[in-house]
Amino acid sequence: MPRYNPAVIEPKWQTYWESNKTFRCPDMPVGEKVYVLDMFPYPSGEGLHVGHPEGYTATDIVSRYSRMRGKTVLHPMGYDSFGLPAEEYAIRTNTPPRVSTEKNIANFTRQLKMLGFSYDWDRCLATTDVAYFKWTQWIFLELFDTWFDPVRQKGRPIAELPIPEDVQAAGENAVAAYRDRHRLAYQDEALVNWCPALGTVLANEEVIDGKSERGGHPVQRIPLRQWMLRITAYGDRLLSDLDSLDWSPSIKKLQADWIGRSTGAEVDFPICSPDAFQAWKTSRATKPFPEVQPEDSIRVYTTRPDTLHGATYMVIAPEHPLVKKIVTPAQQAAVTAYCEAAAFKSDRDRTDGDKKKTGVFSGAYAINPVTGAPIPIWIADYVLIGYGTGAIMAVPAHDDRDFEFATAYSLPVVCVVSPDASGEELQQILEGKACYTGPGKAMNSGPLDGLGTEDAKAKMIAILSEEGIAKGAVNYKLRDWLFSRQRFWGEPFPILHELDANGNPTGRMRPVDRDNLPVDLPQLEDFKPHGRPEPPLAKAADDWLYVTIDGKRYRRETNTMPQWAGSCWYYLRFIDPKNSTALVDRAKEKAWMPVDLYVGGAEHAVLHLLYARFWHKVLYDRGHVSQPEPFQKLVNQGMILGEVEFTGYQKSDSSWVSTSSLEKGDNGLVDRVSKEPVEAVKVDESAVTKVGDCFVLLSDESIRVDSRAHKMSKSRGNVINPDSVVSEYGADSLRLYEMFMGPLEATKPWSTKGVNGVRNFLDRVWRLMIDTQSDTNQLVDAIQDVPPTAEQNRVIHSTIMNVTRDIESLGVNTPIARMMEFVNFFTKESVRPKCAMETLVLLLAPYAPHIAEELWEALGHSKTLAYEPWPTFDEAMTKASEVEVPLQINGKVRAKVVVPADATGEQLEAAARGHERIHELLDGKQIVKAIVVPGRMVNFVVK
RNA sequence: GCCGCUGUGGCGAAAUGGCAGACGCAGCAGACUUAAAAUCUGCUGGGGCGUAAUUGCCCCGUGUGGGUUCGAGUCCCACCAGCGGCACCA
């Protein structure tokens, strides 16, 4: 009987690996170590998606390959299990989040084991494990206990923070407040996206068009006291250390853009009458540039200090504290209305570049500190409170946004940079009728005149620094990380707020003693959010909520940490998952870190990877880890799309409209001619054909249809479930197919026929060795214990060489093609040397481990092949004794000649000249040059 | 708008600057079979010439247009299309 039957052999080997602890990883590496890490999944109720096994198979191949190369491999798996979806689900089904989370984890674990990944399951963890988040809280306390020393560019213990004398003098509370202001984890009044329906603040990227991404509920911007992490302090290091990483340029660039470092200057503009300007200037010249913006001026950040003479007005954000102070009575009503409207827009909404710029005049004027001219102060939401100082100097001649605004409100435009242009264009710019943002020569700019843009910037900063009016400054788009959420299903903050005798907060806080960690979540009957920004944990019983220490009463912090917290350090815990005295043992950490290969989706290119790098650097500064960066090599797997679909478009009378005659109407697509709306209709593959570059209907070739693979989604109904693929084709086929689809990093469409194709290959591998007529796994007669022939050896050795080389460079698809060629070749051989079969099985093992183990056993081995030495090759054996070499004339192949593989250039050229047809073609021509590449080609250049 | 990635047969894709399309899917043909399935074997970019038929020969072909080179899918410049990300960051 025995046909290849994955349904039997796959569970058999999974059980074998599990009961023999085949993939248990020792505490400390023996010899060379490799740490191969997957981005751990969020255990959703839907279970594994086919996208998950793609990256997981790639890392499993590397892990299994590395073991066979004798390395010690750390290859763990866990779950990122805190978060909003679990909680929403819990609310809907009225079950505690922990219950549904554990159920989902069990399902994920079943599915992952079903795919035969070689994880060390003893190291499995979930961020929701109390024993795990104890250390998440511990790290939070470390952040709380750290300040950033800008001189040393390093996080240091808060106890080492120098306290200025005046603060010291102001007493204990002032010192405590000073410390609190400098911690990496600090509380601050922040403008947040508050969603009353979800009962939580949301990150900017969770808000779309002023509505929550989840549920589409309205979102408001309100000020709330929130926990923040001072990631901006690490901006420079997060940026510059990217250079040391083996990451794709595109991911590095995404991170660099997100950090968004820019250099320029901060400049103060006095708010006073022109008469008082000289006095202001004189008083400024006596002192250095003030640390904090004085009341009598507006501080702006600019990257173009060279254009200061062209600043004809100023704009401050609607939330800017000065708005209330400077607005004139006549403008009061208009300003209030404008600011209120702005409050209802999210950051994203407001920064939508397509929108027309709006603004309102405050009635007040400031003085341009270099020209002495009064300039109006406007309020507009194109200026963001969160970036720079929340105020700008507007130079409409040299900034597109300012120009657009100036045009809309008829504000003056003064050109101060002579552009690199000519004719009409130059004239327009000089007259202030067009905007020029590029570099040029300074003009109308007093002492800067004639200088190039870079020199002018430097000179302006130098002059104004001298006068105490400005200083050079660096800014980041990166904001401090808003770290608290008003939800139940997250890590509680290990922070206590001191209460006075009346039960009111004193404003002082203390960390929970580290011995008292973890702070577990309270049991709550009702963990639902409500419409107020008061976290659900506030509903906990008093014995959880209130703590008395040394006679003082405290109330626990009731916010929880965001989902990102747990994933910031899980890779460290995998090294030492059971440690109860430290987050990770120092010696083990040193032995295993950094992660040598980290694979996951590109959706984490910015947030997760930036947050984790930030935490890691803090832990590094505080001496808990030995390396400045956690992830040495990062690879982003591409997305797997659904099967290719053909879509035609029909009018209401069912007549077809070609995609070439569609246009965008007000409500979707319409026929360009009749403007009638059309409906998208799925067309079967058999009903279309390709003509030229387009697919058209077979029934009417004038009707073009769309051909596209779409992202898998429930609503589209094109989701492929790994469970059903495994039950129909087997786990090895799924693994093999996902690798065979194409390069790991590419986006590629699913094809069920393709799965069938690789299954077919595994069937052929099986029949190559197993006699399907027999009742047991009897080897076919062709397999004999004989040495391979020269030709067989060439196939064996070149297959080993190519497979090895490609796995090393993470080329996952091409080794499969090589193995297919191997099988195609040996299928035709009536004598199949046993050693050749063993080689194939070992090469196949990282890809399709179950069938490989089964065949290894059939070949007479009694234990797992997981630690068998990887086959080696002799490059000399890969070469044929004779090669066919193309002969070209002027770069065109005209003939081929067979020569010994080791033929020299002279021999090859002689053979080429001697070739009958080449001789013929060269007759009467003058050979200008002969290019001979031994073993590859000959090219005669003739006239 | 800005940035990045990708453009190769009917489809997924290969190809250290050296014979474009390996390998797989789909398709076609043959063998086996009463038949089908399965399996095995072969063919399969387009056009043309030639021949009884083969062997064979020529031209075109890697999004478009240029360039570098003896030789370009590969390197350089410009453009076009698709996908993805960012998007008033002063």
Side-chain angles (χ1 to χ4, degrees):
Chain A
M1 187 290 284
R3 300 242 302 266
Y4 167 50
N5 188 357
V8 172
I9 66 176
E10 289 178 354
K12 168 183 161 187
W13 287 100
Q14 285 155 18
T15 306
Y16 174 95
W17 296 326
E18 191 153 1
S19 54
N20 288 283
K21 300 256 184 216
T22 303
F23 303 113
R24 189 173 54 201
C25 172
D27 280 355
M28 293 290 273
V30 181
E32 200 181 331
K33 70 93 184 177
V34 192
Y35 187 174
V36 183
L37 184 65
D38 293 302
M39 288 186 189
F40 65 167
Y42 175 77
S44 74
E46 268 94 61
L48 226 50
H49 179 270
V50 285
H52 289 114
E54 188 191 14
Y56 299 165
T57 303
T59 53
D60 200 53
I61 287 165
V62 172
S63 299
R64 288 175 179 270
Y65 166 74
S66 300
R67 281 189 206 99
M68 295 170 81
R69 295 298 298 258
K71 298 177 188 170
T72 312
V73 177
L74 176 54
H75 186 41
M77 179 45 81
Y79 301 100
D80 186 15
S81 40
F82 272 128
L84 209 76
E87 195 174 340
E88 290 289 295
Y89 177 82
I91 291 167
R92 263 202 325 276
T93 59
N94 207 27
T95 48
R98 185 166 290 282
V99 173
S100 55
T101 298
E102 274 166 12
K103 202 180 90 203
N104 291 347
I105 287 177
N107 187 41
F108 264 69
T109 303
R110 173 191 65 79
Q111 290 185 300
L112 290 169
K113 288 188 173 172
M114 164 187 91
L115 291 166
F117 298 127
S118 62
Y119 298 120
D120 177 357
W121 283 103
D122 289 348
R123 292 173 187 257
C124 187
L125 56 81
T127 54
T128 47
D129 293 343
V130 180
Y132 178 85
F133 73 66
K134 167 184 175 175
W135 294 102
T136 309
Q137 292 172 333
W138 189 94
I139 295 170
F140 176 82
L141 291 182
E142 206 63 8
L143 288 155
F144 184 75
D145 185 60
T146 303
W147 66 288
F148 190 79
D149 181 343
V151 180
R152 294 195 204 167
Q153 280 288 304
K154 188 177 176 215
R156 297 173 60 193
I158 197 76
E160 295 175 9
L161 175 70
I163 308 290
E165 273 174 34
D166 55 329
V167 176
Q168 197 76 262
E172 206 186 308
N173 278 342
V175 172
Y178 185 83
R179 286 211 178 97
D180 287 348
R181 272 209 307 282
H182 285 80
R183 297 175 190 277
L184 291 186
Y186 65 99
Q187 285 193 297
D188 197 18
E189 197 80 12
L191 266 185
V192 297
N193 298 304
W194 166 252
C195 177
L198 288 175
T200 185
V201 299
L202 297 171
N204 268 337
E205 38 288 328
E206 293 170 318
V207 182
I208 291 159
D209 294 333
K211 300 222 168 77
S212 66
E213 184 195 16
R214 241 160 222 290
H217 309 295
V219 172
Q220 285 169 288
R221 295 174 57 78
I222 60 168
L224 258 189
R225 195 162 174 79
Q226 294 288 311
W227 282 98
M228 309 289 289
L229 297 186
R230 205 179 302 282
I231 189 172
T232 48
Y234 283 81
D236 266 336
R237 279 168 60 189
L238 289 169
L239 185 64
S240 59
D241 285 355
L242 283 174
D243 289 343
S244 67
L245 301 176
D246 183 6
W247 293 15
S248 72
S250 65
I251 296 288
K252 286 190 185 184
K253 198 173 174 310
L254 277 176
Q255 290 227 341
D257 286 351
W258 189 266
I259 294 166
R261 186 179 195 271
S262 70
T263 54
E266 286 186 358
V267 188
D268 280 354
F269 283 59
I271 312 170
C272 61
S273 66
D275 306 341
F277 173 59
Q278 207 48 52
W280 179 85
K281 216 177 153 182
T282 312
S283 81
R284 273 300 178 95
T286 60
K287 319 182 278 258
F289 187 68
E291 277 248 335
V292 186
Q293 170 190 313
E295 294 247 325
D296 64 354
S297 45
I298 298 182
R299 179 164 294 177
V300 302
Y301 171 73
T302 176
T303 55
R304 293 292 302 273
D306 61 303
T307 62
L308 202 46
H309 286 83
T312 54
Y313 66 102
M314 300 188 79
V315 184
I316 62 178
E319 302 85 358
H320 199 284
L322 272 174
V323 169
K324 288 198 182 74
K325 292 186 186 155
I326 62 170
V327 63
T328 57
Q331 293 299 101
Q332 183 73 58
V335 169
T336 309
Y338 185 80
C339 292
E340 275 176 9
F344 276 94
K345 299 191 199 167
S346 71
D347 243 13
R348 179 167 295 216
D349 240 359
R350 286 189 18 190
T351 58
D352 192 339
D354 294 344
K355 299 241 164 70
K356 272 239 163 65
K357 292 195 177 28
T358 60
V360 59
F361 179 42
S362 70
Y365 290 82
I367 306 291
N368 181 325
V370 295
T371 63
I375 55 176
I377 305 170
W378 284 68
I379 296 155
D381 66 5
Y382 82 91
V383 172
L384 309 171
I385 188 67
Y387 183 77
T389 61
I392 61 155
M393 65 175 205
V395 185
H398 306 292
D399 182 285
D400 289 325
R401 298 148 302 176
D402 296 344
F403 184 80
E404 194 190 318
F405 191 79
T407 309
Y409 292 96
S410 307
L411 292 157
V413 181
V414 177
C415 177
V416 293
V417 178
S418 174
D420 185 16
S422 59
E424 180 75 4
E425 198 190 348
L426 176 68
Q427 212 46 43
Q428 292 267 313
I429 294 165
L430 292 178
E431 287 170 17
K433 286 178 184 147
C435 178
Y436 175 74
T437 59
K441 286 244 180 306
M443 55 182 279
N444 295 333
S445 293
L448 307 183
D449 281 354
L451 290 179
T453 296
E454 285 313 306
D455 294 339
K457 282 181 186 174
K459 184 156 187 187
M460 184 54 95
I461 293 173
I463 294 171
L464 294 182
S465 299
E466 192 67 27
E467 296 176 338
I469 294 174
K471 66 158 192 190
V474 174
N475 238 307
Y476 300 91
K477 287 191 203 175
L478 182 70
R479 313 289 160 83
D480 274 348
W481 177 8
L482 197 160
F483 194 65
S484 41
R485 298 289 184 271
Q486 292 69 48
R487 299 295 298 212
F488 173 76
W489 195 228
E491 300 89 344
F493 283 78
I495 292 291
L496 303 172
H497 297 277
E498 192 180 281
L499 302 174
D500 64 16
N502 300 322
N504 294 318
T506 64
R508 296 189 53 165
M509 50 191 165
R510 66 173 284 162
V512 171
D513 286 346
R514 299 200 185 196
D515 294 342
N516 292 335
L517 294 179
V519 177
D520 200 355
L521 283 162
Q523 296 291 329
L524 284 189
E525 280 301 307
D526 172 22
F527 47 84
K528 290 186 199 62
H530 40 73
R532 298 180 311 280
E534 174 125 331
L537 295 193
K539 290 183 278 189
D542 286 359
D543 64 345
W544 186 88
L545 204 50
Y546 296 98
V547 183
T548 303
I549 301 171
D550 299 335
K552 276 187 189 150
R553 271 192 102 218
Y554 296 89
R555 186 176 190 264
R556 282 192 197 279
E557 170 67 49
T558 53
N559 282 294
T560 51
M561 299 187 202
Q563 189 181 356
W564 307 104
S567 57
C568 276
W569 72 283
Y570 74 110
Y571 55 91
L572 290 171
R573 192 64 180 174
F574 279 139
I575 291 169
D576 195 11
K578 305 282 194 292
N579 195 326
S580 60
T581 58
L583 67 103
V584 59
D585 177 80
R586 290 297 311 272
K588 290 181 191 167
E589 186 277 333
K590 201 160 185 242
W592 285 109
M593 286 297 283
V595 173
D596 298 285
L597 175 64
Y598 193 26
V599 176
E603 67 275 18
H604 296 300
V606 178
L607 298 181
H608 159 62
L609 287 168
L610 201 61
Y611 294 154
R613 292 179 62 218
F614 163 51
W615 278 37
H616 195 85
K617 285 183 185 306
V618 177
L619 292 172
Y620 175 70
D621 287 352
R622 294 300 303 269
H624 303 297
V625 297
S626 58
Q627 313 261 338
E629 285 285 340
F631 312 121
Q632 185 48 44
K633 181 177 172 69
L634 171 76
V635 175
N636 288 116
Q637 83 216 40
M639 206 190 331
I640 296 182
L641 304 173
E643 298 238 11
V644 173
E645 292 172 26
F646 297 93
T647 309
Y649 295 88
Q650 280 181 331
K651 291 195 269 198
S652 51
D653 61 358
S654 295
S655 62
W656 294 98
V657 182
S658 174
T659 53
S660 56
S661 56
L662 290 175
E663 65 177 22
K664 264 210 175 110
D666 297 333
N667 298 310
L669 294 170
V670 298
D671 179 0
R672 188 183 299 142
V673 185
S674 66
K675 307 291 177 200
E676 271 181 79
V678 294
E679 201 184 335
V681 181
K682 205 172 149 179
V683 182
D684 194 79
E685 193 188 343
S686 59
V688 299
T689 184
K690 192 160 188 178
V691 173
D693 285 340
C694 318
F695 282 91
V696 297
L697 289 180
L698 268 177
S699 53
D700 179 351
E701 296 199 351
S702 70
I703 302 294
R704 289 190 193 171
V705 296
D706 275 336
S707 141
R708 240 198 96 170
H710 300 268
K711 203 168 159 172
M712 287 190 193
S713 71
K714 257 201 265 182
S715 58
R716 193 171 273 280
N718 60 350
V719 176
I720 304 289
N721 179 351
D723 279 340
S724 55
V725 178
V726 169
S727 69
E728 193 164 346
Y729 299 96
D732 281 339
S733 292
L734 175 61
R735 292 169 59 115
L736 207 57
Y737 173 64
E738 293 212 7
M739 295 301 97
F740 192 57
M741 288 172 89
L744 187 57
E745 296 181 73
T747 301
K748 40 212 174 257
W750 185 266
S751 156
T752 298
K753 284 181 180 151
V755 188
N756 197 49
V758 294
R759 167 63 197 259
N760 218 344
F761 164 65
L762 290 179
D763 279 319
R764 281 165 62 83
V765 171
W766 185 262
R767 285 193 302 268
L768 187 66
M769 297 180 221
I770 302 295
D771 180 359
T772 51
Q773 303 302 308
S774 149
D775 290 337
T776 58
N777 284 350
Q778 178 80 45
L779 295 179
V780 293
D781 294 339
I783 298 184
Q784 293 168 26
D785 215 344
V786 294
T789 64
E791 196 188 11
Q792 289 174 340
N793 256 327
R794 201 166 63 246
V795 172
I796 295 166
H797 284 262
S798 60
T799 304
I800 300 171
M801 180 173 79
N802 289 316
V803 170
T804 306
R805 212 180 43 204
D806 289 352
I807 290 185
E808 294 274 354
S809 61
L810 223 63
V812 291
N813 50 338
T814 45
I816 300 171
R818 299 286 90 83
M819 289 188 268
M820 286 172 169
E821 285 172 318
F822 184 105
V823 172
N824 290 344
F825 173 84
F826 275 98
T827 296
K828 290 182 197 131
E829 296 291 290
S830 53
V831 175
R832 303 169 192 164
K834 193 174 166 206
C835 66
M837 298 301 104
E838 288 176 336
T839 297
L840 173 66
V841 167
L842 293 174
L843 294 181
L844 185 62
Y847 282 85
H850 307 92
I851 188 175
E853 291 273 22
E854 187 72 11
L855 292 172
W856 189 246
E857 190 182 61
L859 285 163
H861 302 275
S862 58
K863 66 177 212 293
T864 175
L865 50 59
Y867 296 92
E868 286 297 319
W870 185 254
T872 53
F873 62 92
D874 177 354
E875 198 165 347
M877 299 277 249
T878 63
K879 299 203 169 75
S881 57
E882 292 191 317
V883 286
E884 192 185 49
V885 173
L887 308 177
Q888 304 178 348
I889 292 174
N890 286 344
K892 285 193 191 297
V893 180
R894 292 301 174 195
K896 289 166 187 177
V897 67
V898 175
V899 294
D902 55 0
T904 63
E906 289 82 40
Q907 289 167 334
L908 181 54
E909 186 174 342
R913 285 174 188 274
H915 190 277
E916 192 186 339
R917 176 148 180 86
I918 293 294
H919 190 80
E920 222 169 81
L921 288 165
L922 289 177
D923 190 38
K925 301 270 169 46
Q926 187 194 344
I927 298 175
V928 182
K929 201 168 167 189
I931 291 120
V932 182
V933 184
R936 310 247 12 167
M937 47 78 62
V938 178
N939 186 15
F940 293 106
V941 185
V942 302
K943 268 201 290 203

